[in-house]
Amino acid sequence: MGTMTTPTSRRVLLAAPRGYCAGVDRAVIAVEKALEQYGAPVYVRHEIVHNKYVVKTLEKKGAIFVEETAEVPPGNIVIFSAHGVAPVVHDEAKRGQLATIDATCPLVTKVHKEAVRYAKEDYDILLIGHEGHEEVIGTSGEAPEHITLVDGPDDVQNIEVRDPDKVVWLSQTTLSVDETMETVGAIKGRYPNLLSPPSDDICYATQNRQTAVKQMGAESDLVIVVGSKNSSNSVRLVEVALGAGAKDAHLVDGAEEIDEAWLEGVRTVGVTSGASVPEVLVEGVLEWLAQREYEDVETITSATESIHFSLPKELRRDLRSEAKSASEAKPEGESASEAKPESGSPTETKPEGGSAPEA
């Protein structure tokens, strides 16, 4: 007769920090505030953040998500997602007589400003990131003639630069820290005088969540990462968990996607969530596990986050009237939207274990 597994022999390691970062929180609140202040519909170019639950929740409140700015009827409001957009998108909004709210994460805006700065200084900019990701597209659009995308260490051999002594690297903010530094190391192997940006481009939230997963991964038989498949930072958490020693790891949008077969022989389950995931989804996973006798929950804390970003300044204006006036008048060369709006700025100090965000 086999030994019965008791509830006390099963446990959950819960990562902290997890879930919403300051940039995601700001972007989601921006859409909610715009709907409250201006009324539906409010259009959003691309998903405001990469999470199915968040997008569906905002759609129910009156947000309309579109792929291209041209899909938004003149006289309306369009919000740019947390991932940022290229300058050409701001120009498209002006031509379309649209009022804009820029919900770009300020840490992404920092990378955009670095790209502009180094392009003005005539550097070749090596942007480490994944081809096709919205953040990469937006950053590349700031200085397309100067930027070369480097999609991982294996892509380094394809790099061509004009002056090997005038090369700088930047990166997508949601990458794996380890993979990024491996890529940087490979680039330095070819270009020893490679210049690094003033501070790491990988955001504090990505770093902190990866650190927490590393700490619990070695002790976990299974790691469940809550997040959507198009969320780069969530996908990276699965990779980091496996790299840290977790025997198995899976990405799920919610508890309904967990396969009970994953629990076979599992004593310790690690749980975390990507930076665009609301806590309600994590709570659902914990409830699902508790129903299967994984009731002992221990929090693994790697850092304390206290950073906060102010909301986009456009929420203090009557954008609906501005957009309507521009649509009716349609003066040549003018529009309801003004110059490219500034993103919010940090109003608190950086969290422990994070990199210093710059305006």
Side-chain angles (χ1 to χ4, degrees), residues 59-70:
E59 284 179 332
K60 291 177 181 177
K61 294 181 179 181
I64 298 176
F65 292 87
V66 298
E67 287 301 307
E68 301 299 337
T69 314

Side-chain angles (χ1 to χ4, degrees), residues 26-290:
R26 172 181 183 265
V28 173
I29 292 175
V31 178
E32 293 173 338
K33 290 290 185 182
L35 287 166
E36 292 175 9
Q37 186 166 327
Y38 306 121
V42 167
Y43 291 82
V44 183
R45 186 182 184 276
H46 293 169
E47 294 184 353
I48 188 67
V49 295
H50 286 159
N51 185 266
K52 291 181 180 179
Y53 178 90
V54 172
V55 170
K56 289 180 180 178
T57 300
L58 292 174
E59 284 179 332
K60 291 177 181 177
K61 294 181 179 181
I64 298 176
F65 292 87
V66 298
E67 287 301 307
E68 301 299 337
T69 314
E71 298 175 48
V72 183
N76 279 279
I77 296 170
V78 62
I79 300 177
F80 298 138
S81 79
H83 307 101
V85 298
V88 65
V89 177
H90 289 276
D91 294 337
E92 291 171 357
K94 290 179 182 181
R95 291 195 300 270
Q97 285 84 44
L98 305 175
T100 61
I101 297 175
D102 191 352
T104 302
C105 173
L107 299 180
V108 174
T109 298
K110 176 183 79 71
V111 180
H112 282 211
K113 290 181 177 180
E114 289 172 348
V116 172
R117 168 192 165 188
Y118 288 117
K120 287 182 178 178
E121 296 175 5
D122 202 30
Y123 274 82
D124 279 323
I125 303 168
L126 304 181
L127 177 60
I128 301 172
H130 297 306
E131 186 173 3
H133 190 279
E134 291 163 32
E135 184 183 326
V136 167
I137 293 172
T139 302
S140 297
E142 294 286 354
E145 296 180 357
H146 287 262
I147 291 179
T148 298
L149 179 63
V150 183
D151 198 344
D154 294 339
D155 201 23
V156 171
Q157 60 184 353
N158 301 319
I159 297 173
E160 295 183 7
V161 300
R162 295 168 298 160
D163 183 351
D165 292 323
K166 203 163 187 181
V167 184
V168 63
W169 70 270
L170 303 176
S171 80
Q172 180 181 330
T173 64
T174 56
L175 298 180
S176 159
V177 178
D178 294 338
E179 180 185 355
T180 299
M181 297 319 297
E182 181 183 352
T183 304
V184 172
I187 296 172
K188 283 187 176 180
R190 290 193 62 186
Y191 307 108
N193 294 328
L194 176 71
L195 181 67
S196 297
S199 63
D200 293 340
D201 285 341
I202 296 175
C203 84
Y204 75 91
T206 298
Q207 292 183 31
N208 289 345
R209 281 149 189 73
Q210 290 178 13
T211 299
V213 168
K214 286 180 181 179
Q215 290 181 6
M216 73 179 188
E219 299 183 53
S220 300
D221 301 307
L222 166 69
V223 171
I224 296 175
V225 178
V226 185
S228 294
K229 291 179 176 58
N230 64 337
S231 167
S232 178
N233 76 88
S234 298
V235 172
R236 298 289 86 74
L237 288 175
V238 174
E239 298 172 354
V240 170
L242 292 171
K247 297 176 182 177
D248 194 13
H250 295 275
L251 181 66
V252 299
D253 266 297
E256 69 280 357
E257 293 186 1
I258 301 175
D259 187 340
E260 199 152 358
W262 298 343
L263 298 178
E264 185 176 352
V266 169
R267 179 180 179 275
T268 301
V269 180
V271 175
T272 189
S273 57
S276 53
V277 177
E279 185 64 12
V280 64
L281 297 181
V282 175
E283 293 171 356
V285 168
L286 294 178
E287 291 174 5
W288 188 94
L289 289 169

Side-chain angles (χ1 to χ4, degrees), residues 21-22 107 204 304-309 346-351 355 357:
C21 63
L107 299 180
Y204 75 91
T304 301
E305 295 178 353
S306 59
I307 199 166
H308 173 75
F309 294 130
T347 57
E348 296 185 27
T349 57
K350 69 170 184 174
S355 57

